[in-house]
Amino acid sequence: MQELTLIQQLAVFVLPLIFAITVHESAHGWVADKLGDHTARSMGRVTLNPIPHIDPVGTIVVPLALYALTTLSGGGGLIFGWAKPVPINPRNFRNYRRDTALTAVAGPASNFIMLLLWALVLRLSVGLENSATWIAEPLAYMAVGGILINTILMVLNLLPILPLDGGRVLASLLPPRLSFSYAKLEPWGLFILIGLMVTGILWPLMSPMLQFVQTLAYSIAGLM
């Protein structure tokens, strides 16, 4: 990616990013709908149309600003953002704790499926290098971006910090009393996450899983 200009890199990342956040959020709503809570569907959030899911600040401004800063500084900082949370009413679930966990894990699971699909796209682009170079190269760059974005979103969201998906899963697995106490930390979750970023702890914490997942993806692409 270093050989591309900033504008070219942004162009490569836009489509994978839109897919990543849209499918992630829609997956939450789709699973909740199947488990008895139709809130998201009634509000038009079970859709692959990215517009209902976009948060102007979290989806556009923050990721672009962080990406520009890290690129211009030559660093490898973590780029993150967020979409509008899908409205979920756990009281509608048939099994409150189980269905809350399943709904939460649906988002990271969708990112895992997408990064595997991007790995297949990367493999396809390698096969087109000799016959269709004009499409093979941009397709390869986009696939690499898709793998990276979905890996980061999946691993970040699986951290056991509320309100991240991993925090929701952990709260559902803990005994009721511990879960109630743990839920009290949710208002501080964003500050905890920012604190981990500022202190430089977040990236080393995520790196082993990021490397493992990307290695898996590139193995599928036949590039390992």
Side-chain angles (χ1 to χ4, degrees), residues 69-142:
L69 287 173
T70 55
T71 302
L72 293 174
S73 64
L78 180 63
I79 301 168
F80 80 104
W82 60 89
K84 291 179 182 178
V86 169
I88 302 294
N89 186 353
R91 294 176 182 174
N92 294 325
F93 289 146
R94 303 179 189 95
N95 184 317
Y96 181 93
R97 290 165 64 80
R98 181 202 66 191
D99 294 350
T100 297
L102 290 174
T103 300
V105 82
S110 72
N111 291 125
F112 183 68
I113 292 170
M114 279 187 287
L115 72 89
L116 295 181
L117 291 175
W118 281 115
L120 294 177
V121 171
L122 182 57
R123 186 164 189 162
L124 174 63
S125 70
V126 172
L128 293 173
E129 281 183 334
N130 296 326
S131 59
T133 308
W134 62 276
I135 188 64
E137 188 173 352
L139 201 60
Y141 279 124
M142 190 171 293

Side-chain angles (χ1 to χ4, degrees), residues 22-212:
T22 299
V23 177
H24 179 106
E25 295 301 329
S26 186
H28 285 310
W30 184 81
V31 171
D33 185 63
K34 294 299 180 182
L35 294 174
D37 176 32
H38 309 303
T39 307
R41 182 172 294 280
S42 68
M43 298 182 69
R45 296 297 303 277
V46 184
T47 175
L48 293 181
N49 177 2
I51 295 177
H53 303 295
I54 289 176
D55 180 298
V57 176
T59 310
I60 300 173
V61 176
V62 171
L64 289 181
L66 288 174
Y67 185 79
L69 287 173
T70 55
T71 302
L72 293 174
S73 64
L78 180 63
I79 301 168
F80 80 104
W82 60 89
K84 291 179 182 178
V86 169
I88 302 294
N89 186 353
R91 294 176 182 174
N92 294 325
F93 289 146
R94 303 179 189 95
N95 184 317
Y96 181 93
R97 290 165 64 80
R98 181 202 66 191
D99 294 350
T100 297
L102 290 174
T103 300
V105 82
S110 72
N111 291 125
F112 183 68
I113 292 170
M114 279 187 287
L115 72 89
L116 295 181
L117 291 175
W118 281 115
L120 294 177
V121 171
L122 182 57
R123 186 164 189 162
L124 174 63
S125 70
V126 172
L128 293 173
E129 281 183 334
N130 296 326
S131 59
T133 308
W134 62 276
I135 188 64
E137 188 173 352
L139 201 60
Y141 279 124
M142 190 171 293
V144 169
I147 291 171
L148 177 62
I149 289 170
N150 281 285
T151 301
I152 291 176
L153 276 177
M154 183 188 77
V155 175
L156 179 65
N157 275 285
L158 285 175
L159 292 176
I161 303 171
L162 288 169
L164 298 179
D165 298 326
R168 301 282 184 212
V169 174
L170 179 59
S172 299
L173 296 176
L174 289 172
R177 184 171 296 180
L178 279 177
S179 178
F180 180 76
S181 300
Y182 177 64
K184 292 180 179 179
L185 295 175
E186 182 166 350
W188 304 98
L190 181 59
F191 298 102
I192 293 172
L193 192 60
I194 292 174
L196 291 173
M197 289 184 64
V198 171
T199 56
I201 296 174
L202 185 60
W203 189 255
L205 187 66
M206 294 172 58
S207 286
M209 183 56 70
L210 290 172
Q211 292 175 6
F212 172 78

